[in-house]
Amino acid sequence: MRVLVVGSGGREHALVWSIAASPLATEIYCAPGNAGIAEDAICVPIQATDVEGLVAFAQKERIDLVVIGPEASLAAGLADALEKEGLLAFGPSAKATEIESSKGYMKDLCTRIGVPTAAYKRFNDREKAAAYIREEGAPIVVKADGLAAGKGVVVAQTVEEALKALDACFDGSFGDAGAEVVIEECLEGEEVSFFALVDGDHALPFSSAQDHKRAFDGDKGPNTGGMGAYSPAPVMTEEMTETVMSTIVRPIVEAMKEEGRPFKGTLFAGLMMTVDGPKVIEFNARFGDPETQAILPRLRSDFLPALVVAAEGGLKHFDLRWKTESCLTVVMAAKGYPGAYQKGTVIRNVELANAIRGVTVFHAGTVQTDNDLLSAGGRVLAVTGEGSDFREARERAYAGVEAIDWEDGFWRSDIGHRALK
Ligand code: AMP
Ligand code: GLY
């Protein structure tokens, strides 16, 4: 099969790496890719949101399956455009992607069909929103409606902080995404990223992970796209998985099908494990980053047929096998991330990390020049360790991190602290 993976992050490197292990893959392309991906696929310089360019490339190269990584490509209608040309795509339509791109749609849907989620209200009027915040008190959560790269959410511990977040939304910090805000109840508990493959009709559980959203050790500092993850999430027992499938995933898949916007691709439920059971914080219409870098090394089955069957339909008769090993990934980011940071700084010895038993380095923001590997983004590498338990997986991941020489990078030193407790 000729496969095109769309995107350029650590998630896409893990997708490419996993697909490359399939005996069914004859040629793998990635658009636009990065320096690490270039070792497993042919990178083509087409941006992930260049729908026309990607469709034209897929046609010209007779691509059998397009695997779409980022939400921006999905929201731009890439899956729709490919399907219109008779090309097979793994990833939901733009309409179905609204489960991620419109928090308002997601919340309304959950409420209508009784999927447990935080109580919320939507506002497009600053004064009314402020009055609601004062009435409800803190802690309270303020979210920009729409895509804001994971940075449009403030979990405010005081009313003042919530009002400040509200101002940021209405003053245009997030562009159009802030024209409407969702204000919601603050949920308490352990957070889990739960994934299911969906073919529009049927959902197949696809493992779980726990992310580390905050920039610094001890879960301090600003929210980021994710600084590290481990898989599986220890709280996701077989029984809990069935609870999540029956109370959350299947009702959503069913309702979206009935609405005429069937969901195909990866349904990623961001869950809070509250004392009243799992509740949805958010849905994403794609694989997680960095969760994918901790999940895919654990997959024993061939990944490619799973993607094809999800895209074509037929998951009902499909199953996946997983290793018993644990996996943990540490994100190495550019100093300053998630704020301003430098690009073009030199990274050395990635090959030494890759040479360590059980260690795989996934690239996110990297470019290769004639002589050097350079940083090219905020999150730059995800160093993954596999082991017979979390302790071993973590030791290996950090041994990989220590082997890498990157003066301008930083990382959390406590990834997996919850799993080891
Ligand atoms: P999101 O961009 O929706 O994933 O939100 C980013 C992070 O904010 C989540 O991963 C949670 O840690 C936190 N968060 C969002 N909504 C809530 C909520 N209702 N209660 C508590 N924490 C939340
Ligand atoms: N790591 C969370 C996400 O991919 O949205």
Side-chain angles (χ1 to χ4, degrees):
M1 288 190 79
R2 299 168 63 75
V3 183
L4 168 64
V5 176
V6 176
S8 60
R11 165 184 55 206
E12 285 76 19
H13 191 187
L15 291 170
V16 163
W17 173 86
S18 198
I19 292 167
S22 171
L24 301 171
T26 50
E27 198 79 80
I28 307 171
Y29 296 92
C30 187
N34 61 41
I37 292 174
E39 291 174 19
D40 297 314
I42 301 168
C43 292
V44 288
I46 308 172
Q47 289 311 304
T49 50
D50 178 0
V51 172
E52 239 172 78
L54 291 166
V55 172
F57 178 82
Q59 282 177 314
K60 180 168 80 63
E61 293 297 333
R62 305 179 321 280
I63 298 295
D64 299 304
L65 176 71
V66 181
V67 182
I68 307 169
E71 60 273 29
S73 312
L74 298 165
L78 180 56
D80 309 75
L82 290 163
E83 209 155 279
K84 201 165 144 228
E85 296 303 328
L87 294 155
L88 189 63
F90 177 88
S93 67
K95 261 323 240 181
T97 300
E98 283 184 17
I99 191 95
E100 167 167 7
S101 63
S102 167
K103 289 201 159 74
Y105 165 68
M106 176 297 241
K107 295 301 265 183
D108 290 346
L109 176 62
C110 286
T111 309
R112 182 164 65 75
I113 64 174
V115 164
T117 182
Y120 80 108
K121 272 200 163 157
R122 293 163 80 163
F123 294 93
N124 47 33
D125 181 285
R126 187 196 303 233
E127 287 318 310
K128 285 189 182 138
Y132 182 72
I133 288 171
R134 289 199 188 90
E135 197 181 298
E136 290 293 310
I140 194 159
V141 181
V142 179
K143 301 184 172 187
D145 190 32
L147 295 174
K151 292 161 199 159
V153 177
V154 174
V155 181
Q157 296 304 326
T158 64
V159 168
E160 287 65 46
E161 202 187 330
L163 294 174
K164 219 174 100 198
L166 191 63
D167 284 339
C169 287
F170 282 107
D171 293 341
S173 299
F174 306 110
D176 283 347
E180 183 163 288
V181 295
V182 173
I183 297 177
E184 65 180 49
E185 165 200 6
C186 188
L187 297 174
E188 290 189 29
E190 210 168 311
E191 248 182 284
V192 170
S193 301
F194 182 84
F195 298 85
L197 298 184
V198 184
D199 65 5
D201 204 32
H202 192 83
L204 180 71
F206 191 81
S207 199
S208 61
Q210 285 183 283
D211 192 6
H212 300 64
K213 295 258 176 192
R214 301 299 190 104
F216 309 127
D217 282 1
D219 296 319
K220 301 255 171 17
N223 258 327
T224 69
M227 293 298 292
Y230 53 87
S231 175
V235 290
M236 289 308 296
T237 56
E238 226 168 273
E239 196 186 354
M240 186 55 80
T241 299
E242 184 43 38
T243 300
V244 170
M245 289 300 290
S246 63
T247 62
I248 295 170
V249 174
R250 284 189 212 114
I252 290 285
V253 170
E254 189 67 23
M256 291 184 76
K257 184 181 149 197
E258 271 166 23
E259 271 182 15
R261 54 170 115 190
F263 188 95
K264 276 196 228 176
T266 310
L267 186 63
F268 165 176
L271 304 173
M272 192 72 90
M273 311 308 279
T274 75
V275 289
D276 303 320
K279 292 191 179 184
V280 177
I281 298 170
E282 61 165 356
F283 282 111
N284 295 310
R286 51 171 177 81
F287 286 109
D289 189 339
E291 288 93 331
T292 306
Q293 296 91 303
I295 289 177
L296 285 177
R298 293 185 40 250
L299 182 61
R300 188 181 297 286
S301 302
D302 189 342
F303 188 38
L304 188 50
L307 296 170
V308 171
V309 172
E312 281 182 338
L315 278 180
K316 193 168 185 197
H317 307 289
F318 200 84
D319 212 356
L320 289 166
R321 291 175 60 219
W322 296 89
K323 300 182 191 172
T324 54
E325 275 84 353
S326 304
C327 208
L328 183 145
T329 193
V330 179
V331 169
M332 298 179 79
K335 281 179 186 163
Y337 172 81
Y341 54 82
Q342 235 189 313
K343 289 185 189 178
T345 60
V346 180
I347 305 162
R348 294 188 189 86
N349 297 344
V350 169
E351 66 286 357
L352 296 185
N354 267 321
I356 300 170
R357 185 184 148 88
V359 173
T360 308
V361 182
F362 295 111
H363 291 229
T366 61
V367 287
Q368 181 71 49
T369 64
D370 286 345
N371 302 311
D372 294 310
L373 179 68
L374 303 178
S375 70
R379 291 191 292 173
V380 171
L381 299 169
V383 184
T384 298
E386 269 181 83
S388 54
D389 57 15
F390 281 118
R391 196 166 302 279
E392 189 175 51
R394 172 150 120 156
E395 269 168 26
R396 287 179 171 170
Y398 278 107
V401 167
E402 292 307 326
I404 293 169
D405 175 12
W406 182 29
E407 236 170 75
D408 298 279
F410 81 99
W411 54 90
R412 280 182 59 161
S413 65
D414 65 346
I415 301 301
H417 63 93
R418 269 185 222 90
L420 290 176
K421 248 197 335 226

